[in-house]
Amino acid sequence: GSAIANGICVHPSGKFLYTVGLSDQIVRTYNINQSDGSISFANEINTSGGSIRYLVFDPKGKYAYLADNSGDLKSYSVNSQTGALSSLQ
């Protein structure tokens, strides 16, 4: 089956776009071309969680927070060069 994106958000730097996969529990990162606004796939992370819903960033974009339907919150560091997320748990 196809993955269903529950939501999208843009990193505070404007360099990366993220999709939150409701059906497959994967957060996908895309590079945003700063010249023309096009996007290209960069990487993904399997969150191994239940029904992930929301992804937000701290104002400086160093950390990301992912919430699920159960009220659980996961924390990630953000690679400023690639946009990749790394779990802090």
Side-chain angles (χ1 to χ4, degrees):
S2 298
I4 298 171
N6 182 61
I8 63 170
C9 61
V10 174
H11 186 267
S13 70
K15 294 181 185 179
F16 310 108
L17 175 117
Y18 297 82
T19 62
V20 178
L22 177 62
S23 60
D24 61 8
Q25 312 309 311
I26 292 176
V27 176
R28 290 174 176 82
T29 306
Y30 298 85
N31 293 314
I32 300 174
N33 182 307
Q34 300 298 291
S35 297
D36 65 14
S38 63
I39 62 171
S40 59
F41 178 77
N43 56 65
E44 64 184 33
I45 183 171
N46 187 330
T47 63
S48 302
S51 297
I52 58 175
R53 291 287 182 173
Y54 308 105
L55 181 71
V56 297
F57 296 92
D58 77 291
K60 293 186 179 187
K62 292 178 67 174
Y63 302 101
Y65 304 95
L66 181 67
D68 66 22
N69 279 348
S70 303
D72 293 330
L73 186 66
K74 295 181 180 183
S75 302
Y76 298 87
S77 62
V78 181
N79 181 307
S80 64
Q81 300 301 309
T82 66
L85 303 178
S86 298
S87 179
L88 294 174
Q89 275 86 7

